């Protein structure tokens, strides 16, 4: 099997390899889910919601999504706010988010919206007002149903 660059990929069919890494990603756009549903669906695929924990991964994710029009909508990834701190939710242990890629003015916790706190991490799509925010991070209500990105090791 090959990835988008035509290089051999060790990822399962329907998954995308990030060059230079040991990760495979599945972009789920045909099924919308809340954050917790998306986490469960990723686990069903022996994966987890994606954790973008280094600059190279963030840049690759932005570039890959911008190159593929079908991936340009909002999408859940594996970050959540727990006790006022942003963490990558793990199967057993959470890990602190040390490097971020927030869009302008984010995280904003809904700016006091009566719907409550925005405690889950999604990636903006390309319909955002400013192209500089496209595919960057947004805190959102966990109950919103949207696309999601799963990640697993090769």
């Amino acid at each position: 099997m090959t990835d988008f660059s035509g290089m051999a990929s060790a990822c399962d069919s329907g998954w995308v390899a990030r060059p230079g890494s040991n990760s495979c990603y599945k972009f789920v756009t045909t099924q919308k889910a809340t954050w917790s549903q998306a986490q469960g669906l990723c686990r069903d695929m022996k994966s987890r919601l994606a954790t973008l924990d280094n600059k190279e991964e963030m840049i690759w994710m932005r570039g890959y999504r911008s190159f593929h029009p079908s991936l340009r909508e909002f999408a859940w990834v594996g970050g959540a706010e727990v006790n006022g701190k942003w963490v990558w939710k793990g199967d057993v242990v959470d890990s602190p988010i040390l490097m971020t890629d927030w869009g302008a003015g984010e995280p904003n916790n809904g700016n006091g919206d009566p719907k409550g706190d925005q405690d889950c991490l999604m990636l903006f799509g390309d319909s955002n007002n400013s192209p500089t925010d496209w595919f960057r991070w947004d805190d959102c209500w966990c109950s919103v149903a949207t696309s999601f990105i799963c990640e697993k090791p090769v």
Side-chain angles (χ1 to χ4, degrees):
M1 125 186 40
T2 57
D3 67 11
F4 74 96
S5 67
M7 298 171 53
S9 170
C11 297
D12 295 334
S13 179
W15 291 75
V16 177
R18 180 170 63 91
S21 79
N22 292 319
S23 291
C24 298
Y25 302 86
K26 185 165 187 81
F27 297 84
V28 182
T29 59
T30 57
Q31 181 176 11
K32 308 304 182 208
T34 66
W35 189 92
S36 60
Q37 289 169 337
Q39 184 73 292
L41 291 164
C42 288
R43 285 185 180 133
D44 289 347
M45 293 183 273
K46 300 193 178 358
S47 65
R48 66 177 188 279
L49 281 172
T51 58
L52 309 177
D53 52 9
N54 63 66
K55 185 177 182 178
E56 293 78 19
E57 189 173 21
M58 291 176 203
I59 291 169
W60 176 83
M61 183 66 70
R62 260 191 267 137
Y64 190 83
R65 290 180 68 214
S66 66
F67 187 75
H68 294 85
S70 65
L71 305 179
R72 293 182 182 170
E73 55 191 67
F74 288 75
W76 290 125
V77 291
E81 188 177 19
V82 178
N83 298 323
K85 304 281 184 197
W86 284 93
V87 298
W88 295 117
K89 296 296 288 178
D91 291 332
V92 178
V93 178
D94 298 339
S95 58
I97 293 178
L98 302 175
M99 183 173 285
T100 64
D101 194 26
W102 294 108
E106 302 295 340
N108 62 16
N109 205 26
N111 287 322
D113 190 292
K115 291 184 212 169
D117 291 344
Q118 294 184 326
D119 292 331
C120 291
L121 181 57
M122 71 166 40
L123 302 179
F124 279 128
D126 69 354
S127 60
N128 230 41
N129 291 339
S130 170
T132 59
D133 282 338
W134 289 359
F135 316 120
R136 292 192 182 273
W137 296 10
D138 176 36
D139 60 330
C140 190
W141 298 281
C142 303
S143 59
V144 171
T146 193
S147 299
F148 53 98
I149 305 167
C150 301
E151 178 182 3
K152 68 180 180 178
V154 172

